[in-house]
Amino acid sequence: MAFLIISLIIMLIGLLRLKINKRSIIGGIFLASGLILSLTSLFFELLKLIYLYLPSGDFATLIIAYGILPLIFLLVCGYFIFNSKTMRTKEGKSATAKLSALFGLNLLIAFPALFMLFTFSTKTIPQIIWYILLYILLIDIILCFLFAAYILYSWMSQMIPLQKKIDYIIILGSGVRSEEVPPLLKSRLDKGIEYYQKNPTAKFVVSGGQGADEPVSEAFAMRKYLQSQNIPNHQILFEDKSTTTYENMLFSKRIINEDWSDKEMPPSIIFSTNNYHVLRGSLYAQRVKLKAQGVGAPTALYFLPTALIREYIALLLHRKIILFSVLGGAYYSSLSPYISKTQEREVFLEFF
């Protein structure tokens, strides 16, 4: 019960943070983490009731704990590992194509390794080595848990449809190989058109420059596609200088401000990208002080694991407070009980 109360407090902190700032990634991760922990707590409470009150409850608990749960865990690991093969087949060989396999193998090693570590006493292996291993494994598992929270919040943030009137629809560019938009970019445009049909006075901002290996700018290809979908040219604003998501947001903001300059009320803006990219897009919008809400276009299922892992790594690098919090939390959970404040400097210097 105490664990459930702590989980609910974490959820409450997340909700309060989101109430202050609706685009707070930290608040969202707190909310999703609290929800996962609460559901986990309720699951174990249910397991306890099954064990205590149902006929053959001990047998049922044994099957769930040592049969069903490990099987689910192995299936999840297997999905990530074999998804990498699908990525190589469909997208070609690349470093990012291996991310899902590395993540699946990491899960397969880290969790059993933690349980195995607890079977060894500090008399079996040197005490400092035992605590160092515990520290590393805790960092790994906490980061995996936060990844699950990131996925959950990413999904939750896109489940609430937008009801307000929309004035501008920013389409974030992605790579093009010809004047025709590829499937990934087409899905972003189609998502924008979906909202345009409900807001026929809205204007599109097609945002994306021309890379060294691109025959035309991404904005050019997007405008051509929108025109083919009967979107009037005067409702398409053109931004073809950006090369990053940050520049997408910054340059689009400038174009919108120029176009909206004679209005008193601030415009209502959304940006369309693929579902895995919405949260990071929101971070950059917040960074340039652009009040825009992201909407996510569907992404091929085989592509999602790698894309989500890549976005999560980028989020950790962008929001270093999350990474430092994990490092600090793992330290105080593992090394701190062993190393006194007067000894910690000497021990770490000696070890490293």
Side-chain angles (χ1 to χ4, degrees):
M1 186 58 71
F3 184 73
L4 179 60
I5 292 171
I6 293 171
S7 304
L8 293 173
I9 290 172
I10 293 172
M11 281 183 64
L12 181 61
I13 292 171
L15 286 169
L16 290 174
R17 178 68 179 168
L18 288 171
K19 189 173 182 180
I20 296 169
N21 179 3
K22 291 182 180 180
R23 294 182 292 173
S24 170
I25 302 297
I26 303 294
I29 289 179
F30 262 87
L31 174 62
S33 298
L35 182 58
I36 293 173
L37 292 172
S38 298
L39 292 174
T40 303
S41 177
L42 289 172
F43 171 77
F44 282 107
E45 288 295 326
L46 179 62
L47 206 60
K48 182 180 176 181
L49 291 174
I50 291 172
Y51 177 77
L52 292 175
Y53 298 109
L54 287 185
S56 303
D58 52 347
F59 178 73
T61 304
L62 193 67
I63 293 296
I64 294 170
Y66 293 96
I68 296 175
L69 290 181
L71 179 61
I72 293 172
F73 175 74
L74 290 173
L75 288 174
V76 170
C77 295
Y79 170 73
F80 279 103
I81 292 169
F82 289 106
N83 179 73
S84 188
K85 183 180 179 181
T86 308
M87 276 288 293
R88 286 198 304 273
T89 302
K90 293 182 177 290
E91 301 291 329
K93 292 183 179 181
S94 67
T96 55
K98 299 175 182 177
L99 283 176
S100 60
L102 290 173
F103 181 73
L105 288 170
N106 175 70
L107 289 177
L108 200 58
I109 294 169
F111 281 86
L114 183 65
F115 287 111
M116 285 181 63
L117 185 64
F118 284 115
T119 64
F120 292 100
S121 68
T122 53
K123 294 179 180 178
T124 308
I125 56 178
Q127 197 174 38
I128 184 61
I129 299 298
W130 192 93
Y131 278 102
I132 290 289
L133 289 174
L134 178 61
Y135 177 59
I136 293 170
L137 288 171
L138 281 178
I139 290 173
D140 194 331
I141 289 168
I142 292 171
L143 287 174
C144 291
F145 171 78
L146 290 179
F147 178 60
Y150 167 78
I151 293 174
L152 177 59
Y153 178 61
S154 182
W155 175 78
M156 289 167 58
S157 65
Q158 296 173 57
M159 286 301 102
I160 304 173
L162 297 175
Q163 303 293 340
K164 62 182 180 180
K165 181 181 179 295
I166 296 167
D167 298 306
Y168 293 94
I169 304 167
I170 301 171
I171 310 294
L172 301 183
S174 65
V176 295
R177 297 176 182 175
S178 68
E179 292 186 8
E180 306 303 317
V181 294
L184 195 73
L185 188 51
K186 181 179 179 296
S187 68
R188 299 181 182 189
L189 289 157
D190 289 341
K191 192 68 176 181
I193 292 172
E194 179 185 321
Y195 281 91
Y196 170 79
Q197 289 170 347
K198 300 173 186 176
N199 299 269
T201 61
K203 292 184 179 181
F204 284 90
V205 181
V206 288
S207 177
Q210 182 177 357
D213 58 344
E214 294 176 320
V216 296
S217 71
E218 296 161 7
F220 179 90
M222 288 191 283
R223 181 172 64 182
K224 182 180 177 181
Y225 178 79
L226 290 175
Q227 289 170 340
S228 73
Q229 301 300 307
N230 301 316
I231 308 297
N233 193 53
H234 70 273
Q235 286 182 259
I236 305 173
L237 303 179
F238 195 72
E239 187 287 294
D240 65 346
K241 303 299 181 186
S242 57
T243 58
T244 64
T245 304
Y246 172 78
E247 290 181 351
N248 285 144
M249 297 300 184
L250 181 62
F251 298 161
S252 296
K253 178 187 175 183
R254 291 173 183 172
I255 288 175
I256 290 171
N257 286 344
E258 289 175 7
D259 188 70
W260 191 261
S261 59
D262 59 339
K263 309 289 195 308
E264 293 183 3
M265 295 294 291
S268 175
I269 307 167
I270 66 169
F271 67 88
S272 176
T273 186
N274 289 88
N275 46 18
Y276 63 83
H277 188 240
V278 170
L279 284 185
R280 193 152 65 96
S282 298
L283 281 175
Y284 286 114
Q286 191 173 11
R287 188 172 170 185
V288 302
K289 297 181 171 57
L290 174 66
K291 291 185 177 180
Q293 188 166 346
V295 293
T299 306
L301 188 61
Y302 77 87
F303 191 79
L304 266 180
T306 296
L308 285 167
I309 294 168
R310 190 176 59 199
E311 291 295 307
Y312 177 60
I313 293 170
L315 173 65
L316 291 176
L317 295 175
H318 190 277
R319 281 283 191 268
K320 293 184 177 63
I321 186 173
I322 299 175
L323 189 57
F324 290 145
S325 297
V326 170
L327 295 174
Y331 167 74
Y332 281 104
S333 299
S334 56
L335 291 174
S336 187
Y338 168 73
I339 304 170
S340 69
K341 295 299 178 184
T342 56
Q343 292 177 314
E344 62 182 5
R345 179 175 175 81
E346 289 78 4
V347 171
F348 275 98
L349 285 175
E350 180 182 349
F351 182 80
F352 292 107

